[in-house]
Amino acid sequence: MLTHALDIVRDNWLLLLIGQYPNGPLGGIAATLILSVLGIVLAFPLSVLIALARLSHRRVLWVPATVLVYVVRGVPLLMIIFWVYFLLPLLINVSVPGFATMVCTLTLYEGAFLSEVVRAGIVALPKGQMDAARALGHSYPKAMLYVILPQALFNMLPSMLSQWVATIKDTTLGYIINVPELTFAANQINNRLLTQPFEVFLILALTYYVVCFSLTWVATRLERRIAGRRSGAMRLAPVLVTAQ
Amino acid sequence: MIEFRDVNKWYGAYCALADINAVVQRGEVVVVCGPSGSGKSTLIRTVNRLEEIRSGEVLFEGSNVHAPMRAAALNHLRSRIGFVFQSFNLFPHLSALDNIVLSPWRVNGVRKAEAHDRAMALLERVGLADRAHSFPAQLSGGQQQRVAIARALAMEPPVMLFDEPTSALDPEMVGEVLAVMRSLTEEGMTMMCVTHEMGFARDVADRVWFMDAGRILETGTPEEFFGAPQHPRAQRFLSDLRSH
């Protein structure tokens, strides 16, 4: 069985890595990583905006942001993918390719989840930080920008890495709408071989595991370093002031 | 310079400040003392509106801080009132120097190089020029509080408020902070100071306000207050202090 699996890897490693590129669309692990990175990178600014809206005292900001977070958290990702995939083209009258659909959906979905992490990071800071900034005359946006967010986001780095891992796993659902990512590639191989589904999907599972485990490991290390820095010296913190 | 007119504040059914009427003259050093929970900190925090009030007025340079006003106007008022917290509230992601540079630069629009030079001069003045690039977590409590004083002074406020500036310090560090505060009084800075340091009050205060249960029960010179307190509550407070 092991030799079968190795044979499959030897014959199909390029397909698993980059899909049918350059003869077809980019796929495989490359597409999975690109999808997840695009998803999390675009979700990040969205999540900060949602978190700030959720913390706002203005109902026009607070209500829609809260509704969005609750809806997204209460609906399976697959439903949102279908909605974006089938409804969006009807609304804007343009057919949206699967890859773009997946990026939009992931941005929305991960953004909503990440916003709760951002919000928790902001709320967890001592109240005295905001008091001190306001007492010095900073407006609320300036206090957020120069005092609160640099601290909150730095403390949240490990959680953001975890969210990236979750995003990688969520990209598998792109398979449903024919986005040529890693799961799609594995299924292509399985359809061709027909007789070795166990080996094929074992390889698939192991590949996801290696990628996600490495990132989780980095997140854990980072978490330990940040915990150490919080109790002792803060040297690596993002310094907006000196960055100028 | 600062005037309280019929100030009342309630937390639910609990009266935090009751009918406060008092004045801090320009150039005057006022020490507010009294048992814990008497409303001293609440009172001093109403001056820059970190606490809202139920009724009355708090005038700073003739204008009511608690009048309805645009956020920008309140921020401007706050930038002209130096405030030092019991818990320092330095920004932990910034070095001592950057803590001081941030607000003149970002709030007052002082050029960064100039703000930097002035911050160095202030650090020298509080005796911490050699710790300019240390982060708050690398400084002792006394050093942090001196940086916090320098940070407030960087805005060049005409008045400084101190909210129990030495209460969170180890006893051997109280002296260095009080020395900086003494040097300010020698320069004629208007100060309002909540403190339990009765020696400091006796030496540098022009007037002492004694508070209990949200009321100012007695105001007088240190000689009057410590020599012959009028109110029975003040007499008891002072005899409790002396019995230690």
Side-chain angles (χ1 to χ4, degrees):
Chain A
M1 191 197 85
L2 189 66
T3 49
H4 284 163
L6 287 174
D7 284 345
I8 295 171
V9 172
R10 196 193 57 221
D11 296 341
N12 299 286
W13 62 274
L14 199 60
L15 183 68
L16 288 170
L17 209 58
I18 58 171
Q20 287 162 321
Y21 191 81
N23 303 316
L26 185 69
I29 297 178
T32 289
L33 287 178
I34 290 173
L35 260 180
S36 66
V37 168
L38 274 179
I40 202 84
V41 165
L42 293 174
F44 172 67
L46 179 69
S47 71
V48 173
L49 290 180
I50 297 174
L52 291 176
R54 289 257 285 150
L55 289 166
S56 168
H57 296 294
R58 292 192 198 148
R59 288 181 64 88
V60 280
L61 296 173
W62 184 82
V63 170
T66 306
V67 169
L68 177 74
V69 169
Y70 274 76
V71 167
V72 169
R73 283 198 306 194
V75 175
L77 177 56
L78 190 56
M79 294 304 109
I80 304 178
I81 293 174
F82 281 154
W83 278 31
V84 176
Y85 192 60
F86 294 118
L87 252 144
L88 199 61
L90 290 180
L91 289 177
I92 61 174
N93 226 349
V94 178
S95 82
V96 182
F99 189 85
T101 302
M102 207 52 206
V103 171
C104 290
T105 314
L106 283 175
T107 302
L108 181 71
Y109 190 77
E110 308 301 338
F113 275 87
L114 206 52
S115 77
E116 288 298 275
V117 176
V118 175
R119 195 170 67 101
I122 291 172
V123 172
L125 290 180
K127 188 178 166 292
Q129 290 293 308
M130 186 51 109
D131 279 354
R134 298 311 298 273
L136 285 159
H138 289 264
S139 62
Y140 182 83
K142 279 184 185 172
M144 270 292 163
L145 187 59
Y146 301 129
V147 176
I148 304 297
L149 283 178
Q151 296 182 60
L153 298 181
F154 178 71
N155 293 344
M156 283 163 28
L157 277 176
S159 311
M160 284 199 240
L161 270 181
S162 305
Q163 196 67 35
W164 185 19
V165 170
T167 310
I168 289 174
K169 293 192 279 187
D170 288 342
T171 58
T172 53
L173 288 172
Y175 163 74
I176 299 292
I177 55 170
N178 288 329
V179 178
E181 38 70 71
L182 182 58
T183 306
F184 188 86
N187 203 53
Q188 276 182 310
I189 297 166
N190 185 46
N191 285 347
R192 186 146 35 79
L193 298 175
L194 286 174
T195 54
Q196 294 163 310
F198 181 77
E199 285 85 348
V200 170
F201 290 109
L202 182 70
I203 292 166
L204 181 65
L206 278 174
T207 313
Y208 277 115
Y209 182 80
V210 168
V211 173
C212 294
F213 174 80
S214 329
L215 285 172
T216 312
W217 184 78
V218 172
T220 313
R221 299 259 317 199
L222 203 61
E223 196 155 8
R224 229 174 283 152
R225 281 187 62 178
I226 288 175
R229 186 157 306 125
R230 240 179 260 155
S231 56
M234 292 199 49
R235 240 171 271 113
L236 263 174
V239 184
L240 270 176
V241 169
T242 49
Q244 292 286 315
Chain B
M1 185 126 222
I2 299 170
E3 184 174 353
F4 300 91
R5 284 188 187 163
D6 303 317
V7 174
N8 282 278
K9 180 177 175 68
W10 295 74
Y11 291 113
Y14 174 76
C15 178
L17 295 174
D19 303 324
I20 301 285
N21 280 286
V23 179
V24 180
Q25 304 288 355
R26 186 176 296 274
E28 200 177 34
V29 177
V30 168
V31 166
V32 185
C33 62
S36 31
S38 58
K40 310 179 296 285
S41 289
T42 308
L43 179 71
I44 203 167
R45 285 167 65 92
T46 64
V47 178
N48 63 358
R49 208 166 158 177
L50 286 181
E51 296 283 350
E52 297 289 341
I53 57 177
R54 165 78 66 87
S55 63
E57 293 181 331
V58 181
L59 304 182
F60 169 66
E61 294 181 321
S63 56
N64 181 12
V65 177
H66 289 266
M69 66 174 89
R70 303 175 73 88
L74 180 58
N75 294 334
H76 179 70
L77 275 177
R78 281 174 169 158
S79 74
R80 294 180 41 77
I81 302 173
F83 200 101
V84 176
F85 296 85
Q86 178 179 354
S87 50
F88 330 136
N89 293 344
L90 289 182
F91 306 135
H93 60 301
L94 301 177
S95 68
L97 185 67
D98 287 332
N99 261 280
I100 304 172
V101 167
L102 179 71
S103 303
W105 178 36
R106 292 299 197 182
V107 176
N108 287 354
V110 175
R111 277 189 26 256
K112 198 187 174 199
E114 193 186 330
H116 187 280
D117 291 346
R118 281 185 5 209
M120 275 313 293
L122 282 167
L123 277 174
E124 202 134 335
R125 177 172 166 182
V126 298
L128 289 169
D130 55 327
R131 306 307 305 267
H133 299 288
S134 301
F135 283 84
Q138 299 167 316
L139 300 172
S140 72
Q143 290 171 330
Q144 287 189 57
Q145 193 62 299
R146 280 144 70 197
V147 173
I149 294 172
R151 180 176 70 175
L153 288 173
M155 299 300 278
E156 302 185 325
V159 57
M160 287 284 286
L161 310 180
F162 295 84
D163 184 8
E164 304 204 23
T166 56
S167 300
L169 296 176
D170 292 337
E172 72 266 28
M173 292 169 184
V174 170
E176 62 193 65
V177 172
L178 292 182
V180 171
M181 291 168 65
R182 276 204 172 86
S183 76
L184 282 176
T185 65
E186 281 155 19
E187 288 161 27
M189 175 66 84
T190 308
M191 283 167 53
M192 184 171 167
C193 181
V194 174
T195 185
H196 296 293
E197 296 295 328
M198 290 304 134
F200 177 79
R202 202 188 292 260
D203 290 352
V204 306
D206 296 305
R207 299 190 76 77
V208 178
W209 299 357
F210 176 76
M211 287 187 75
D212 188 40
R215 290 174 190 278
I216 297 180
L217 297 183
E218 185 160 344
T219 68
T221 64
E223 293 76 28
E224 290 164 355
F225 179 71
F226 292 108
Q230 301 300 307
H231 199 282
R233 187 66 190 87
Q235 292 165 0
R236 202 165 79 235
F237 176 73
L238 286 172
S239 72
D240 283 349
L241 280 183
R242 288 193 187 108
S243 64
H244 289 303

